[in-house]
Amino acid sequence: MFTPARKKLLLAVLVLSFGVQTGLVYSDERSEPLSAAAREGRALWQAYACQTCHQFYGQGGFLGPDLTNAASRVDSTRLISLLTVGSGQMPPLGFSDDESAAMAAFLREMDRPEIGRGELRMGTPGEGAGAQAAFERAIEAALGAGSSSDAGSGDGTDQDLAEVAAGFAAYRIRPCSACHFPFRDSPVGAPDLSLVAGSLAADSLDLVLADGRPLMGMPPPVPPLGEADRAALTAFLRFLEANREELEAATATLAAGRSLDWGALPWWEFP
């Protein structure tokens, strides 16, 4: 049993240990990896509790899409619209131009290649990529080199591939990848996009691209697809079907050997 003197000594040791630990923690040199503009965006992210619905690198809520790579797939016009008037379940936040710019800077700096992409990819964009990043790299490579198959509606000319590229761009700036997985149906029931062009008649596909399928869980595309956008996206979907085996193999190769450097993840950012 401790005597009063020993109890006082033990308490003094504990207090001293706490003081030393506090000093070490607050004297630790730490460089801020975000720019001043991005820090303003981070403050808005925290003030509006965005992590309640959205994720960064798997950390956060599940009501909205993962925003890890939002800067790569959402253009500035769409982002401003989301931050001011909202969309679907996304409430209108009424951000000013300066606030929108700060949030854009924050999202852009969180989407740096040295940190990762969506599925905690470490390394260069073409090596060790997660499935979605590898899928996009495979398509970029196929479009850059030309395709051995036609684009589904033409004869594989540069003009056809330009339309496919436009459709790919339309796909990337919308949150399609939040539900659709490369070369397989997703757990939420979203179909494999490389097969839809062959399973739907042309007019049915155009109707889906225009209005979605709300009763089956697919909302109308946001931002909406005009006639030219729908034609380009249809060409992209036909391109996926015509080159499915080649693209699937390239995606698997790019995703092979994926490794994680947990030390490179910005844990300081997760609330």
Side-chain angles (χ1 to χ4, degrees):
M1 188 172 182
F2 287 110
T3 63
R6 288 184 175 179
K7 289 181 179 179
K8 291 179 181 179
L9 178 61
L10 178 60
L11 180 60
V13 170
L14 291 175
V15 171
L16 179 61
S17 299
F18 177 78
V20 171
Q21 181 186 26
T22 301
L24 291 174
V25 168
Y26 285 96
S27 64
D28 185 27
E29 292 186 5
R30 174 175 174 272
S31 61
E32 175 58 69
L34 294 180
S35 67
R39 290 198 296 273
E40 292 179 12
R42 180 178 64 185
L44 290 168
W45 168 274
Q46 294 169 341
Y48 284 84
C50 302
Q51 71 276 6
T52 302
C53 297
H54 298 284
Q55 298 182 29
F56 272 128
Y57 300 97
Q59 304 290 318
F62 294 91
L63 292 178
D66 187 319
L67 297 183
T68 306
N69 308 130
S72 296
R73 55 183 169 79
V74 180
D75 64 12
S76 58
T77 301
R78 172 61 177 154
L79 178 61
I80 291 172
S81 175
L82 288 169
L83 295 175
T84 53
V85 301
S87 175
Q89 297 184 80
M90 172 82 177
L93 301 178
F95 273 23
S96 66
D97 290 344
D98 289 343
E99 289 173 327
S100 296
M103 183 60 76
F106 174 56
L107 294 175
R108 186 168 56 251
E109 294 188 26
M110 289 300 293
D111 186 26
R112 290 174 295 178
E114 66 269 22
I115 292 178
R117 291 184 68 88
E119 298 178 22
L120 300 179
R121 177 183 59 79
M122 299 296 118
T124 64
E127 299 174 354
Q132 180 62 31
F135 172 64
E136 294 181 9
R137 299 295 83 73
I139 293 171
E140 289 172 350
L143 290 175
S147 173
S148 58
S149 301
D150 61 38
S153 60
D155 56 4
T157 64
D158 291 343
Q159 183 176 359
D160 295 327
L161 292 179
E163 185 174 31
V164 171
F168 179 43
Y171 159 83
R172 294 182 76 176
I173 67 171
R174 292 168 175 81
C176 306
S177 61
C179 295
H180 295 279
F181 286 15
F183 307 111
R184 64 186 178 95
D185 293 347
S186 75
V188 297
D192 179 348
L193 291 181
S194 66
L195 300 176
V196 297
S199 62
L200 292 175
D203 56 345
S204 298
L205 177 57
D206 188 68
L207 185 62
V208 171
L209 294 178
D211 302 327
R213 282 181 166 178
L215 296 180
M216 299 179 67
M218 178 178 170
V222 178
L225 291 162
E227 185 176 352
D229 290 329
R230 296 199 305 274
L233 194 49
T234 297
F236 170 63
L237 294 174
R238 289 174 176 165
F239 174 83
L240 287 183
E241 182 183 29
N243 299 277
R244 188 177 193 278
E245 291 186 6
E246 174 187 335
L247 291 171
E248 186 174 16
T251 297
T253 298
L254 289 170
R258 172 180 165 222
S259 61
L260 300 181
D261 179 3
W262 294 100
L265 289 176
W267 299 113
W268 47 267
E269 179 54 44
F270 303 139

